[in-house]
Structure formats: structure tokens, C-alpha cells
Amino acid sequence: MSDDWEVKICCMGAGYVGGPTMAVIAKMAPKTRVCVVDLSQKQIDAWNSSKLPIYEPGLPDIVEECRGRNLFFSTDIDNEIKKADIIFISVNTPTKVSGIGAGRAANIKNCELCARKIAAVADTDKIVVEKSTVPVRTAEAIRRVLKGNKGNKFQVLSNPEFLAEGTAVRDLLKPDRVLIGGQQTPEGLKAAETLVNVYAQWVPRERVLTTNLWSSELSKLVANAFLAQRVSSINSISALCEETGADVSEISRAVGMDDRIGKRFLYASIGFGGSCFQKDILNLVYLCETYGLEECAQYWNHVILMNNYQKKRFTEKMVAKMFNTATGKKIAIYGYAFKKDTGDVRETPSMFVVRDLLEEGANIHVYDPQVTRDDMWLEMDYTCGINASNTPRLEESVTTATDAYSAADGAHAIAVLTEWDEFKELDYEKIYSTMSKPAFIFDGRNILDHAKLREIGFEVHAIGKPDPDAFNDL
């Protein structure tokens, strides 16, 4: 260990996980030197500026407090690997798009490249920590790669992240649990205890769980699968509610008051998005298929199928209620990020609604307080294959508005697709006065006061809510 610091940490990957995690470690463990490294000079420059590359409430203050003291961002990867006692691998593990397991299996190429870099550069013993979400038994692959370095010993640990975007800082400061998996050998247990001691500077010891490597790796996939399963479960019930006159919010409350079930993740919506849920479930599906557990694979795959159905169902209902056509109609999209308090658009449900409305010939005006037009198009191209070169009049068909009011001016309909708090506070009487009539609101997050909107004059349709015009016995 260093004479100047109790421990030195290098984190490979300056993204949504690596940046916030290392910033909080630096804040809460001031005698630990933390350096986040990345190949992208642009990304590192952003972390070293006043405008961070990701939006996360509370993060700028922590970075400002620690940067230059015990938190550093650099592209000098080789030097920082040599300095470090603990090296975190926190790089993207996207779903494979080609080859064996395409569309389901995780591509761990970036993890392997990190391991190869460590093996090539390290000149002392290291603890290597998987922070990326990886398939179970990835640590064995990393360990085999590290054996290419004949002069030093490496211990590989699994320390999966359980962060929710928008609350990542809070999740890091007061985690439900910190999970650390390692080999159950004297050397593996010692390495795990070294990492435990870093977290123990602010996390109660009883919340730091130690397991074997494989339990830790699989726990992250299972945690996200269970959360996504709850979303798809309540969304399946939302469709039934709309047909029967039941109210999905009342169902959620009644079911959630059962202590055995709990109320978290029982809010019906247009579906889940983000970089984790779908990717991790597909990874779990592929693992089950790989081990011949076909029924298990089908079970978890239906969580994805239900999510896809919910997004498609929402758009189809929009078109049906607008007299079976959206062609030439202006539609305001309120929110493009996959959830509030983040600018992340990966797998966002909004994108699929926009895609389907484009196919219907709608003129779409998108307003989101954190999402840039460039980010919107990058994800649309990557996930849906839609770009200006293969979609005529794409740029003209989609406008990015600077505020919610201009997005709705002259619109036939508003679709609320992200639960930003500001959408609850808008002057809907003013908005109604500027819209084409009849003026529709489709609430994909159930955050608005539907009764008040109807009093103003809107025709309101919401997820899992009965249409008062369709039932006379509500």
C-alpha cells in the first residue's frame, strides 16, 4: 500500500456507474486516492469541467468537493494501473448484436480488454474488481486473462452496482446493501476484506454482504429481473383494468399494502427502459438457454414481451382514440428520458412511441428538460435503426421544443412519457387554449390530475384507468 494514502483505486470506465461511484468513494473515504480513467479524452475533459457528462442530482457538488484532492480523472491509463492497489472494471457490457447469442447474450469484450490491459501493464500485485454487470462466471475469464502476467498475483472480486439513475448519489451514500463476492480462499477472503474496509468507512458493516464470486455475479442479474418482473406484472393488470373499469392505482395500493408484496415498483406505466433491465433479463434468458433450462428462459423472456406489448399498446390506443389516424397531426411528447432526474435515453419507452408515431405520419414535438437532440438521434439509430439517411423527412417530422408550452401549441395531443415533476405544475388551461380540438392527453405515467384536466376540456386517457365515457357504473 502507498505511504501517502491508505489505498489507491483506479476505475476503468468513466460512465454512469464509474463516475458517480468513485466520486462518492472519494468523498466518504478521504484517505483513499481515486482516479477514474477512460480512453475518451472528451469524456475525461467533461469530468474535469463544470459541466459533467451525465446528469445526476447531487453529483456536481461531490465532484467539485473532491476533484483535485483525492479524486482524479485521467486518460493516462497505464500509469494509473501501476499506481493502484484496487482496480475497478466499470465498462459497458452491451447485448451482442451479431454472432452466437445475438440479441440476448452480453458482450464482455470491454471487460476482457480491460483485463488484458491490466495484465500487460501491472508491475505489482492487484485486486481487480468487476463493477460492470456481467454474466455469471465472467470472473473466471478475467482471471485466466490476468494469468498472462507471470510476475504478479491478482485477486478478482465481484462488486455489482445496484444504482437507480436519478437517485444514484443517494443510493451510494445510503445503500440497501453492498455486495462483494470473492474466492473462498485465504487470499480471496483477504482481498474481499480490503474492499470491505473501503466501504465500511460509511456503510454499516451489516449492510456489506460477502459471498462467493458466482453468487455475487448472478445476484445483480436476478435483482434487475425481479424489479422488471414487477413492472411487467402490474402493466399486464393495467390492460385488464382498462377493459373492466378497475383502476390500476387502486389495485396497486391494495396489493402493495400486503407486507409480503410491498408497494415498490407497482406503478403502471408505458414500460421500463434504461440500460439495465432489458439487457440483464436478456442475459439471464441466454444463460438459462445455455444451460438447457428452456422453461426458465421462456419465463423470463415473457417479462420482455410484456414490456414490448405495453409500449405498442400505448401507441395503438393513441391512434385509435384520435379517430384512427395520426397522419399530419402535431403530437407533443412530454419527456424522452427513460425516467425523471436523468438525461439517459437508452432503451427509453419514449423512443418506441416516437418511432411508431413516425410510421403513422405524425408531426412530433419533443420536450425534455435534460435530453439533447443529438442523444435522442444516437439512441434512435442504435436501437431502432432509424436515421436521416434511411428515413425520409425525419428531421422535419421531429422537432425538439425548448419548453412544454411551445411543444403543445397547436397540437392535437400530448403524450406524457417521462414523469418529470415539472409536468405536474404546468398551466393546462393555458395549454388547452392553444391546442387543436378535441385536445387529447395520453398520460403514460399517471402523474396528472385527470379529473381536473377533463373539467378544463381535455379528453384524457391513461394507463390502467377506466374511460368514464365507456362505463356508466364507475
Side-chain angles (χ1 to χ4, degrees):
M1 299 295 180
S2 168
D3 293 333
D4 300 321
W5 305 95
E6 290 182 353
V7 65
K8 288 184 177 181
I9 292 175
C10 170
C11 176
M12 303 178 76
Y16 275 94
V17 174
T21 302
M22 294 302 118
V24 169
I25 289 177
K27 174 180 173 63
M28 304 307 292
K31 293 185 179 180
T32 298
R33 182 186 187 275
V34 180
C35 186
V36 182
V37 298
D38 202 281
L39 289 169
S40 170
Q41 186 68 56
K42 178 181 177 182
Q43 187 82 346
I44 292 301
D45 287 345
W47 279 109
N48 281 320
S49 73
S50 59
K51 186 172 177 55
L52 303 184
I54 64 173
Y55 174 76
E56 193 65 46
L59 183 59
D61 291 341
I62 292 177
V63 172
E64 184 67 25
E65 173 190 342
C66 301
R67 191 171 52 202
R69 183 190 73 189
N70 67 326
L71 175 64
F72 306 91
F73 299 92
S74 174
T75 55
D76 190 356
I77 299 172
D78 290 12
N79 191 41
E80 291 299 334
I81 288 175
K82 290 178 180 179
K83 288 180 183 179
D85 307 303
I86 302 173
I87 302 170
F88 283 80
I89 296 177
S90 185
V91 291
N92 192 22
T93 52
T95 302
K96 289 182 69 175
V97 296
S98 61
I100 297 171
R104 301 185 308 286
N107 190 338
I108 63 166
K109 176 192 74 172
N110 294 329
C111 290
E112 181 181 336
L113 290 174
C114 286
R116 292 189 182 280
K117 170 60 77 171
I118 294 167
V121 171
D123 53 10
T124 58
D125 296 350
K126 308 291 183 186
I127 297 171
V128 178
V129 183
E130 294 174 337
K131 198 67 177 173
S132 301
T133 301
V134 294
V136 65
R137 302 202 73 86
T138 297
E140 177 60 27
I142 291 174
R143 199 159 53 206
R144 289 181 61 187
V145 170
L146 292 172
K147 284 182 179 178
N149 181 312
K150 302 296 185 182
N152 302 290
K153 296 180 180 179
F154 300 90
Q155 286 298 321
V156 179
L157 303 177
S158 168
N159 175 218
E161 53 86 13
F162 296 101
L163 307 181
E165 289 185 44
T167 60
V169 170
R170 185 178 70 198
D171 296 340
L172 288 161
L173 291 172
K174 295 183 178 180
D176 294 330
R177 78 290 202 197
V178 171
L179 181 58
I180 298 171
Q183 282 190 296
Q184 302 302 291
T185 62
E187 297 82 6
L189 294 172
K190 182 180 178 182
E193 192 60 28
T194 300
L195 187 55
V196 166
N197 290 335
V198 173
Y199 285 110
Q201 294 181 63
W202 78 95
V203 181
R205 186 61 182 82
E206 63 270 17
R207 290 187 178 271
V208 182
L209 310 180
T210 54
T211 69
N212 72 36
L213 268 171
W214 322 124
S215 296
S216 179
E217 288 182 333
L218 188 54
S219 290
K220 173 58 192 296
L221 299 182
V222 173
N224 277 345
F226 272 53
L227 293 173
Q229 178 195 48
R230 286 173 69 91
V231 176
S232 281
S233 293
I234 196 63
N235 279 344
S236 73
I237 300 303
S238 74
L240 184 60
C241 287
E242 291 170 30
E243 297 297 326
T244 61
D247 185 323
V248 74
S249 298
E250 295 175 347
I251 301 289
S252 296
R253 184 182 179 197
V255 171
M257 289 180 74
D258 187 326
D259 287 340
R260 297 169 300 173
I261 298 172
K263 65 182 181 180
R264 300 286 300 277
F265 281 79
L266 286 181
Y267 299 100
S269 68
I270 53 170
F272 57 76
S275 64
C276 294
F277 281 7
Q278 177 156 311
K279 175 173 72 74
D280 292 354
I281 294 174
L282 290 172
N283 193 345
L284 191 61
V285 169
Y286 183 69
L287 282 170
C288 292
E289 291 173 343
T290 300
Y291 291 105
L293 305 173
E294 201 59 41
E295 290 81 4
C296 301
Q298 291 176 15
Y299 175 84
W300 287 109
N301 192 52
H302 270 83
V303 175
I304 299 292
L305 295 179
M306 178 54 62
N307 195 53
N308 294 339
Y309 165 73
Q310 187 76 342
K311 292 178 287 191
K312 190 72 173 177
R313 188 173 75 86
F314 184 84
T315 312
E316 289 175 348
K317 187 168 188 175
M318 287 182 67
V319 175
K321 294 300 181 182
M322 291 190 294
F323 317 112
N324 291 311
T325 180
T327 304
K329 292 178 179 177
K330 177 178 178 179
I331 298 177
I333 301 295
Y334 280 5
Y336 199 84
F338 85 92
K339 62 185 288 189
K340 73 173 185 176
D341 293 334
T342 181
D344 194 349
V345 298
R346 289 175 290 182
E347 293 290 342
T348 177
S350 302
M351 171 176 58
F352 299 98
V353 174
V354 168
R355 177 199 64 188
D356 292 346
L357 290 173
L358 279 171
E359 292 178 358
E360 294 290 335
N363 293 320
I364 300 164
H365 287 242
V366 179
Y367 169 67
D368 189 289
Q370 290 297 329
V371 174
T372 67
R373 187 175 180 85
D374 286 344
D375 287 343
M376 191 173 77
W377 288 139
L378 282 171
E379 180 62 17
M380 183 77 80
D381 187 17
Y382 178 79
T383 301
C384 298
I386 293 175
N387 55 60
S389 63
N390 64 22
T391 307
R393 299 190 69 254
L394 178 63
E395 291 286 347
E396 295 88 344
S397 298
V398 180
T399 300
T400 42
T402 56
D403 62 85
Y405 294 100
S406 61
D409 187 10
H412 294 77
I414 296 170
V416 180
L417 303 184
T418 309
E419 71 278 22
W420 287 103
D421 290 337
E422 71 175 80
F423 298 151
K424 305 174 190 176
E425 311 299 329
L426 297 173
D427 184 346
Y428 282 97
E429 289 189 6
K430 176 181 176 182
I431 290 172
Y432 179 77
S433 70
T434 68
M435 291 179 64
S436 295
K437 307 299 186 296
F440 296 88
I441 285 187
F442 299 92
D443 189 352
R445 296 290 182 171
N446 287 340
I447 62 171
L448 303 182
D449 185 336
H450 302 151
K452 184 175 180 180
L453 291 171
R454 289 188 176 106
E455 288 178 5
I456 292 171
F458 285 103
E459 182 172 327
V460 181
H461 300 280
I463 297 285
K465 301 286 186 174
D467 182 352
D469 294 330
F471 296 92
N472 58 14
D473 55 356
L474 298 177

